[in-house]
Amino acid sequence: MKQAFKRTITTILLIFPAIFVLAQTTVSGVVTTKQGEPIPGVNIFIKDTYDGASSDDEGRFTFRTSENAKQVLMATFIGYKSWEQEIDLTSDIKLKIELQESVNTLDAVTITAGSFTADDEGRASVMKPLDIYTTPSANGDVMAAIRTMPGTQASADDGRLLVRGGDVYETATYIDGLVAAKPYYSKTPDVATRGRFSPSLFNGVQFNTGGYSAEYGQALSSVLVLNSTGKAENDNTGISLMSVGGEANHTSSWDKSSLMLSGGYINFSGYDKIFNSNIDWEKPVESVNGTAVFRYKPRSSGLFKAYVTTDYGNLAYNVPAGSDGHPMKISNRGTTVYSNLSYRDCISDKSCYRVGVSSTFQDQQTGLAADDVNTREWSVETRFALVHDLSEGVKLTWGANGTSHLYNQDYIQDEGETYTGEFDDHLLGVFVEPEIKFSKNLAIRPGIRSEYSSVINRWNVAPRFAVALKTGENAQLSGAWGMYHQTPQPDYLKLTTDLDFEKATHYILSYQFGDVSERLFRAEAYYKTYSDLVTYSAEENGLPSNLQNTGDGYAGGLDIFWRDQKTIKGFDYWVTYSYIDTKRKYKYYPEKATPEFISDHTFSVVGKYWVNKINTQIGMSFTAASGRPYNDPNSTVFNGEKTKMYSDLSLNFSHVFYLGNQYSVFYCSVNNVLGNDNILSYRPSDLADAQGNYNLIPVKRDLKRMVFMGLFLNF
């Protein structure tokens, strides 16, 4: 009946234009942020109708509607909460709409040291999910996007985070304050991996390159803290169609709770057939994954979060490294399950607490030619922390965590020999950390952490200290010092437990000037010393022997960050530069040397421009890095040679369109647009020529040029 009535009215209005004009009501106004800045491209419409408009460059909008009486006006835009308000269409309406940032997708990456605080959030790089998705070189990977931040290495052949001279294992990943023991998909030689967790699950990514809080341990170099989203406010169904697979998700929201279920499938077989890969694939990467996210908010101060994800992957390829002159087959398949349960609430208006438990289970089968390596790991962490506002200028945080780690590995050689390594470790950690604000210009944060590891039967004590001094309205000078410990890696503990903690000491001084929402400059100098690093001798069977804590080293350098979101309207860019000088003696190194994953100089620039008229964002990222050391067995100097400079120019664009009142995105990116044939390292073959010289095999990226397309639909 209603549709028939509308058709009749439409016919009448088409016949009588004058009446049509008089029967319509004008809705106009402006859309801004909480700070009063105009937001272009916002979709404003009357709910359950097609009447509406998009805001212009100044945030203004206007449209006419034949609807009457009371209706609901809505405004939606990526990165902001949906806005709605009941309006009376008996006369023209003029509104000022103020949008708030969404807890699910935030729209920028910022370094927040400009805010006056001595805590981690005040000195860390913070990246938001939308920024990860729109960084061309990242392809939706948290770790790849973080590598555009200062203090990191390009690591195109690895994919994991390498921070300020530290090895991969020296960076710990936390989700809602709980450790994620396996944050990456399995790593195999010559093939880069990527982060396991989707950026859309988090409302912020905090990356700290050193000098971090006493709340965290078991990381010699840095911590990556992922803060997950809260309760979803709306029902939503999403379908993603990608050039490498697909994904589907559905969210249901109720009064006090929400549930999100998602599943995905990835297969690179098509890429292997279309593009000329540098890898001799026998089975390109194939994986399937599933995720469930449940949120329950019993009251305003309380929130329960439950997050479970699982994935299965399979791959196989050949590398030219066989001792008999033939390629060696490398394969990997396995399953990983990660769960994270947490609850936070307040005891009073001055005391709040967080409790939680996380669990990681991984079962991996790796094939190395005719040898098989079967590894099973299970890690469970429980943690609690309490925060007390003791007075206006004093806040005290304290807590504890306990971690159980079960490890078992069978190395089955072709000859029938089986080597079994296993251990159980129970780690207990406690910390206390006050933050004291002497005035609006000076704050300090002393802290101390202590840990006990049962597998090595040793305690450690780690004092830490941070200070922040406000030197101007938008300027801050800050510093940090601290001691950090880490239990030796499972590859060592499976062979011997007669080891000690590895140790590092950080010294950091930084200066920052500017407004994080407009223009920001930051420079940070650091120096880091290592001691008690694990060293060993490499045996012919590939297993290490004579493991000891006799290694040491240092890393020092300068990181520079500049971001400008104001000079050119609609254009946002940031530039980073990192210099590092580092050497260490660890693993099988015969002498102190620069590790093979280090580039002395790394430069990155990322730019994004929003074209309002066509609802499209164009992005560019460029990374250049000086050559990395590699070991030539024909040389007398260990790690004495270097590769040529590495460079990568990547482009992308994202076109936003609406299906009803839900936004959808068409996305396309091209990595290494110029097709540079970057040599990332060299690996010596196992065969020597008549003169005793070994051939060097260049290590390159899987695909010289990567093209990715995706259609992300929301309903």
Side-chain angles (χ1 to χ4, degrees), residues 120-134:
D120 279 344
E121 288 82 358
R123 295 178 296 104
S125 301
V126 178
M127 184 164 280
K128 307 292 178 66
L130 189 60
D131 212 37
I132 294 170
Y133 282 124
T134 55

Side-chain angles (χ1 to χ4, degrees), residues 267-306:
N267 192 322
F268 275 82
S269 296
Y271 271 71
D272 185 49
K273 294 177 181 178
I274 297 173
F275 299 99
N276 184 22
S277 174
N278 290 316
I279 301 293
D280 180 15
W281 287 105
E282 188 169 304
K283 180 175 181 51
V285 175
E286 182 180 21
S287 67
V288 61
N289 64 80
T291 299
V293 180
F294 177 73
R295 302 291 188 247
Y296 175 61
K297 193 173 181 63
R299 55 180 185 165
S300 60
S301 62
L303 180 61
F304 172 74
K305 298 181 178 182

Side-chain angles (χ1 to χ4, degrees), residues 369-650:
D371 298 344
D372 291 311
V373 182
N374 301 326
T375 308
R376 293 161 297 281
E377 291 185 77
W378 187 26
S379 177
V380 179
E381 181 189 59
T382 57
R383 178 182 291 261
F384 79 88
L386 293 96
V387 181
H388 308 278
D389 289 329
L390 301 181
S391 66
E392 183 178 353
V394 180
K395 179 177 71 175
L396 178 67
T397 304
W398 62 277
N401 68 282
T403 305
S404 294
H405 187 193
L406 310 181
Y407 181 93
N408 178 273
Q409 184 181 83
D410 294 325
Y411 191 141
I412 307 169
Q413 292 190 326
D414 183 35
E415 296 83 2
E417 292 287 339
T418 299
Y419 298 88
T420 298
E422 59 183 2
F423 67 87
D424 297 348
D425 184 27
H426 302 283
L427 182 80
L428 173 65
V430 295
F431 76 96
V432 59
E433 192 170 61
E435 180 178 318
I436 305 169
K437 293 183 178 179
F438 295 101
S439 69
K440 66 177 184 179
N441 295 324
L442 176 64
I444 64 171
R445 191 196 60 192
I448 190 167
R449 180 178 181 84
S450 182
E451 296 173 330
Y452 171 75
S453 171
S454 66
V455 69
I456 59 177
N457 193 26
R458 293 179 184 270
W459 281 94
N460 69 57
V461 177
R464 300 171 191 180
F465 182 82
V467 59
L469 175 65
K470 192 172 183 179
T471 59
E473 182 179 356
N474 292 310
Q476 177 177 297
L477 184 67
S478 60
W481 168 87
M483 298 178 64
Y484 301 87
H485 299 78
Q486 195 162 355
T487 306
Q489 293 302 288
D491 282 344
Y492 307 144
L493 293 176
K494 69 184 181 184
L495 300 173
T496 180
T497 59
D498 189 20
L499 294 169
D500 199 350
F501 290 103
E502 295 184 307
K503 304 177 182 65
T505 303
H506 298 191
Y507 306 86
I508 300 171
L509 181 65
S510 66
Y511 174 77
Q512 178 172 303
F513 178 82
D515 188 330
V516 296
S517 64
E518 295 183 351
R519 300 186 187 96
L520 180 69
F521 172 79
R522 185 190 191 204
E524 187 164 272
Y526 65 91
Y527 187 74
K528 180 166 52 176
T529 61
Y530 290 95
S531 61
D532 294 334
L533 299 180
V534 174
T535 61
Y536 60 84
S537 301
E539 300 297 326
E540 292 185 0
N541 60 8
L543 296 176
S545 65
N546 191 32
L547 285 91
Q548 303 178 69
N549 290 98
T550 57
D552 62 352
Y554 71 89
L558 176 68
D559 293 333
I560 295 176
F561 179 93
W562 163 255
R563 184 172 189 174
D564 183 359
Q565 304 175 72
K566 185 179 180 181
T567 301
I568 302 175
K569 190 173 185 179
F571 184 55
D572 176 19
Y573 72 93
W574 65 87
V575 180
T576 68
Y577 168 75
S578 296
Y579 167 74
I580 185 172
D581 173 31
T582 180
K583 288 186 177 181
R584 60 166 60 187
K585 185 178 186 300
Y586 80 138
K587 294 184 176 179
Y588 57 87
Y589 283 23
E591 59 191 50
K592 193 175 292 186
T594 301
E596 57 276 3
F597 50 80
I598 294 295
S599 294
D600 295 342
H601 305 272
T602 304
F603 170 82
S604 291
V605 57
V606 176
K608 297 174 293 180
Y609 181 67
W610 173 257
V611 184
N612 185 54
K613 291 183 179 179
I614 56 175
N615 282 350
T616 298
Q617 180 174 275
I618 301 171
M620 179 277 294
S621 64
F622 175 74
T623 298
S626 58
R628 303 189 312 186
Y630 67 92
N631 188 45
D632 185 349
N634 308 309
S635 172
T636 58
V637 180
F638 180 77
N639 275 8
E641 306 296 325
K642 284 193 175 184
T643 63
K644 293 182 179 180
M645 185 186 81
Y646 168 87
S647 65
D648 180 296
L649 173 65
S650 298

Side-chain angles (χ1 to χ4, degrees), residues 299-314:
R299 55 180 185 165
S300 60
S301 62
L303 180 61
F304 172 74
K305 298 181 178 182
Y307 168 59
V308 180
T309 183
T310 182
D311 58 76
Y312 170 81
N314 194 3

